[in-house]
């Protein structure tokens, strides 16, 4: 779905950056939320946040402009318009707001139904750099809509023992889903499932729809990148 108002959005404020280490300013920002570099490392989140990805849910407690904050949230780093790394917080919503515009684009009813089922949809946003395609997914831990520039989407060559064809990778990169059979889980059992790219996970996930496996998984949605290749 395209931006109906043809609004022009400047994407520099949302630029994803990668870093080798946290700056003193970021360490200070984290400390204000009760999070240290050691905590990030012990929870396997340090590499994630330095790579420009979101952390898993962390316990935070502190004060940010205008209000106190206590509870769980995901943290990530983005650059400001001036190129300065800045810590950002993704809080947990009680219910997802599927009417919220994503880069000025509102999801259609069909797209809302798809993301509620864990699927990914593609939108086209009008920006100052021209039209840009984004994949949009719902983070089922925070109930927040997440978007990623299609140009930044990476699809791995293999998942759970199955090598992806070029056609399958192309479908996944455009927000579609593919059905794979005889994948292997950690215990060596085989299972079949739909796979899609998830903008919140920044990787492939298995969808509950059509999933069949020898041993039932405790989680209906699992990040595919966590499985051995």
């Amino acid at each position: 779905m395209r931006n109906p108002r043809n609004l022009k959005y400047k994407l520099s404020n949302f630029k994803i950056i990668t870093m080798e280490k946290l700056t003193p300013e970021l360490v200070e920002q984290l400390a204000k939320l009760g999070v240290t570099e050691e905590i990030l490392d012990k929870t396997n989140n340090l590499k994630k946040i330095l790579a420009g990805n979101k952390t898993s849910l962390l316990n935070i407690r502190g004060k940010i402009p205008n209000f106190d904050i206590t509870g769980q949230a995901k943290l990530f780093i983005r650059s400001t318009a001036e190129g300065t790394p800045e810590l950002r917080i993704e809080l947990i919503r009680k219910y997802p707001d599927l009417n919220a515009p994503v880069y000025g684009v509102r999801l259609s009813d069909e797209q809302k139904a798809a993301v509620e089922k864990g699927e990914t949809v593609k939108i086209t946003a009008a920006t100052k750099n021209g039209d840009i395609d984004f994949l949009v997914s719902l983070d089922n831990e925070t109930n927040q809509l997440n978007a990623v520039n299609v140009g930044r989407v990476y699809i791995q060559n293999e998942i759970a023992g199955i090598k992806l064809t070029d056609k399958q990778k192309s479908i996944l990169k455009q927000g579609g889903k593919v059905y794979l059979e005889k994948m292997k889980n950690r215990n060596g059992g085989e299972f079949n499932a739909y796979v899609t790219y998830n903008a919140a996970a920044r990787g492939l996930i298995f969808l509950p729809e059509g999933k069949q496996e020898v041993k039932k998984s405790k989680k209906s949605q699992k990040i595919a990148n966590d499985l051995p290749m």
Side-chain angles (χ1 to χ4, degrees), residues 212-226:
Q212 298 176 345
E213 54 187 327
V214 177
K215 294 183 179 181
K216 296 293 183 180
S217 172
K218 293 182 179 180
K219 295 183 178 180
S220 62
Q221 188 184 76
K222 194 177 188 70
I223 298 177
N225 291 340
D226 288 342

Side-chain angles (χ1 to χ4, degrees), residues 29 32-33 42 54 56 61 66 69 73 92-93 99 109 131 156 160 189 192 198 200 202 210 217:
Q29 292 174 34
K32 290 179 179 178
L33 297 174
K42 286 185 176 181
K54 294 187 300 181
S56 56
R61 183 175 183 176
N66 300 323
I69 180 171
I92 298 175
R93 296 183 62 93
N99 294 316
D109 290 340
D131 287 353
Q156 62 217 54
N192 309 327
N198 184 277
R202 291 295 195 272
S217 172

Side-chain angles (χ1 to χ4, degrees), residues 34-100:
V35 178
T36 65
E37 191 169 353
E38 183 180 8
I39 289 175
L40 290 175
D41 191 32
K42 286 185 176 181
T43 56
N44 297 318
N45 282 304
L46 184 57
K47 289 183 178 179
K48 290 181 182 178
I49 201 168
L50 290 176
N53 297 321
K54 294 187 300 181
T55 66
S56 56
L57 287 172
L58 294 171
N59 293 317
I60 62 174
R61 183 175 183 176
K63 188 171 185 177
I64 58 178
N66 300 323
F67 64 94
D68 295 327
I69 180 171
T70 301
Q72 288 189 310
K74 293 186 177 183
L75 306 177
F76 57 102
I77 299 170
R78 294 293 182 266
S79 71
T80 64
E82 295 74 29
T84 304
E86 181 179 81
L87 185 68
R88 298 196 178 185
I89 307 171
E90 184 171 305
L91 300 173
I92 298 175
R93 296 183 62 93
K94 187 174 183 180
Y95 302 106
D97 182 7
L98 301 182
N99 294 316

